[in-house]
Amino acid sequence: MKLRVIGLLLLLFPLLAWATPLKPGHDAVASAQPFATQVGMQVMAEGGNAFDAAVAVSAALSVVEPYSSGIGGGGFWLLHDAATGKGIVVDGREYAPAAATATMYQDKNGNVIPDGSLNGPLSAAIPGEVAALVYINQHYGKLSLAQDLAPAIKLARDGFPLDRRFHEMLASRADKLKQWPAAWKVFYPNGQVPPEGYLLKQPDLANTLELIARHGAAAFYTGALAKQMVDAVRAAGGIWSLDDLHDYQIKLRTPLTGDYRGMKIITVPPPSSGGIVMLEALNILSGYDLAQDSELMQKHLVIEAMRFAFRDRAEYLGDPDFVRMPLQRLLSPYYAAGLRASILPDKATPSNELAPVTPEAPESQHTTSIAVMDGSGNLVGGTFTVNFRFGSGFMPPGTGVILNDEMDDFVSKPGVPNGFGLVGNSANEIAPHKRPLSSMMPTFLYTRRGLAILGTPGGSRIISMVLLGTLNYFNGGDAQSIVSLPRYHMQYLPDVVFYEPGAFTADEITGLGKMGYTLKEIHPYGNMQSITWDYRSGKVSAAADPRDIGTAEVK
Ligand code: DON
């Protein structure tokens, strides 16, 4: 009898092995800061999975890259659980305090107050990162929260040598941070920008992280720490309440899925605009066989697709819990076909025939993205932020936590551009406990060849960067080419195509000029992280954007 069972099992074995989904067999991390990448690899070497690593890397980034993201900010974590084959978006986006109003950044004449939504505690929304990380640890991790947070606590307590990027960020933000004494004291010892290599210790942040490690999210959203933050915010002119913190919850969102000529795309739905805008652009583009077109024609079509999709962003998108959005229509192939039909093969469509022109988006360098994969095939893409460099600049004394300035992602006044030059209307106006519209969009791509994780900071340019990376992967690219690729961007308004040196050849610049485009070369931008896995060769590649100091490791 026993023998028969064994025989049956032996017979079934090849079948079972075949049915088991492929596993990459390698751990990989790409992040914007070398210490954070190391932390991720270390946590997986110690028995953690990709979810533990993502929590550990995110927490470490709040210590080693606080100008980009941190526990005073929020973001989106896109997860793929290999065991169940299921994907989920953990929406840890900040929400507006209950006392926020649609016109809170306007003066009594209805003019937008410069800097109102960008500087100081009034610009800070209620942070979501702590709730998101604790949720991921509890529901997906193998290690305890304390284990996942331990490396970040160590980096904060023992310090780490300041890198070139951090030094530059401190030099560029000294004027802003000088206004906020607690942040000034932590980041400018002796009132000076510390030199590269300086051992930066953040004992208050270490204590805050330790409290969270010990007591979970409640330690941040309730109790003494919450009171400390609320008191400090209010004393400095902000409007947070204890209830705002207490009531904050992450939202679990079903990932947005799309298809581009057989490639499956899994990405972030509203309250990020990223997924919708990219899928709309890809729907427009899927009607062309781009590979058959000249490089010039391809770029023309991609730019036009960006223009139309960004126009709909401004018109329709906001927090899905507050506004009704015609998402089905925006993502319908028929709608895309209509837009495609309006694109002339030899002419740019002037945006200013559709709405008033707005000033250009300023350069930006903050927010962070991570890509993590473990040997079992669990995947995490995360993009999270405090918004502009060092967020609001405000640090509640004694907490070590830099608060975000995410309120600027709302529309302060319809038609008036925000810090990224983005316009919008009532769909994205401020309301109590509403989430500001984001562009952040960690994304997974699946083809017959393999899969890719990609994501980047860059405000509104996130969407065009991920779009170009997606097309690159479709055309046979890998992690390295996805992050290296020269970039260009169009966001409907302003009616300008921004491009990095090398994105267009001299002939393409002439050709696009003849079609009526206004082109503007700008400094290299973005900080993309990517991992790709080629099914056939089994090769796992990880790459950090060569424009910045991030690193990627595969083991
Ligand atoms: O959520 C958003 O879209 C923005 N707060 C992201 C900010 C950003 O990427 C800044 N990066 N350079």
Side-chain angles (χ1 to χ4, degrees), residues 282-525:
L282 286 171
N283 283 347
I284 296 170
L285 292 171
S286 68
Y288 304 105
D289 189 357
L290 288 179
Q292 301 304 316
D293 284 320
S294 70
E295 284 279 330
L296 173 64
M297 183 56 74
Q298 289 183 32
K299 283 168 179 158
H300 167 52
L301 297 173
V302 171
I303 296 166
E304 288 297 294
M306 289 177 186
R307 182 199 312 276
F308 282 112
F310 267 99
R311 176 181 162 222
D312 287 340
R313 180 196 201 275
E315 185 75 26
Y316 299 113
L317 301 186
D319 182 345
D321 299 329
F322 284 73
V323 288
R324 286 179 57 180
M325 295 173 279
L327 298 186
Q328 251 187 337
R329 185 164 71 87
L330 294 181
L331 295 182
S332 139
Y334 305 110
Y335 179 65
L339 295 175
R340 192 184 312 123
S342 77
I343 297 175
L344 303 178
D346 58 348
K347 274 217 162 42
T349 311
S351 291
N352 66 4
E353 284 179 4
L354 309 164
V357 178
T358 59
E360 85 185 52
E363 302 275 321
S364 53
Q365 199 47 257
H366 21 74
T367 303
T368 205
S369 244
I370 61 169
V372 185
M373 172 189 274
D374 65 22
S376 309
N378 294 309
L379 313 178
V380 183
T383 305
F384 34 100
T385 188
V386 287
N387 203 19
F388 282 85
R389 292 176 191 178
F390 292 101
S392 66
F394 183 72
M395 178 185 282
T399 64
V401 180
I402 280 282
L403 301 186
N404 68 83
D405 58 351
E406 222 70 60
M407 291 297 283
D408 189 63
D409 280 346
F410 281 118
V411 170
S412 288
K413 189 179 176 181
V416 177
N418 76 348
F420 295 105
L422 290 165
V423 289
N425 59 21
S426 58
N428 189 28
E429 75 183 3
I430 304 171
H433 290 191
K434 187 176 175 186
R435 282 156 151 87
L437 186 62
S438 176
S439 301
M440 297 188 288
M441 50 179 307
T443 295
F444 301 151
L445 305 173
Y446 295 88
T447 65
R448 292 170 60 141
R449 189 162 59 90
L451 67 84
I453 309 174
L454 68 163
T456 181
S460 50
R461 293 184 201 142
I462 291 171
I463 306 174
S464 54
M465 285 186 262
V466 175
L467 172 65
L468 295 177
T470 297
L471 292 171
N472 179 267
Y473 188 64
F474 179 78
N475 290 327
D478 65 0
Q480 195 60 51
S481 65
I482 287 171
V483 300
S484 311
L485 191 72
R487 295 165 178 154
Y488 54 95
H489 172 77
M490 138 66 67
Q491 61 180 41
Y492 161 59
L493 293 174
D495 192 350
V496 175
V497 180
F498 299 96
Y499 68 99
E500 289 186 325
F504 301 136
T505 63
D507 283 352
E508 285 167 2
I509 290 173
T510 311
L512 290 168
K514 279 193 190 144
M515 290 182 185
Y517 285 108
T518 305
L519 303 174
K520 184 160 190 236
E521 185 177 297
I522 55 174
H523 291 302
Y525 59 89

Side-chain angles (χ1 to χ4, degrees), residues 167-176 188 193 389-390:
H167 169 79
E168 287 168 2
M169 289 291 152
L170 287 171
S172 76
R173 278 314 228 204
D175 284 348
K176 179 167 179 176
Y188 300 83
V193 178
R389 292 176 191 178
F390 292 101

Side-chain angles (χ1 to χ4, degrees), residues 156-232:
R157 185 152 331 271
D158 300 350
F160 65 96
L162 209 66
D163 55 65
R164 171 179 60 81
R165 168 60 64 185
F166 203 145
H167 169 79
E168 287 168 2
M169 289 291 152
L170 287 171
S172 76
R173 278 314 228 204
D175 284 348
K176 179 167 179 176
L177 292 175
K178 209 175 221 158
Q179 301 165 47
W180 309 112
W184 181 254
K185 214 172 110 205
V186 171
F187 295 125
Y188 300 83
N190 314 314
Q192 302 284 330
V193 178
E196 235 180 287
Y198 175 86
L199 189 71
L200 181 74
K201 296 184 182 177
Q202 300 172 70
D204 287 340
L205 182 57
N207 291 341
T208 295
L209 286 165
E210 214 156 65
L211 213 62
I212 297 165
R214 226 175 282 144
H215 304 292
F220 185 84
Y221 292 97
T222 61
L225 180 58
K227 181 157 176 355
Q228 204 174 344
M229 289 194 287
V230 168
D231 286 350

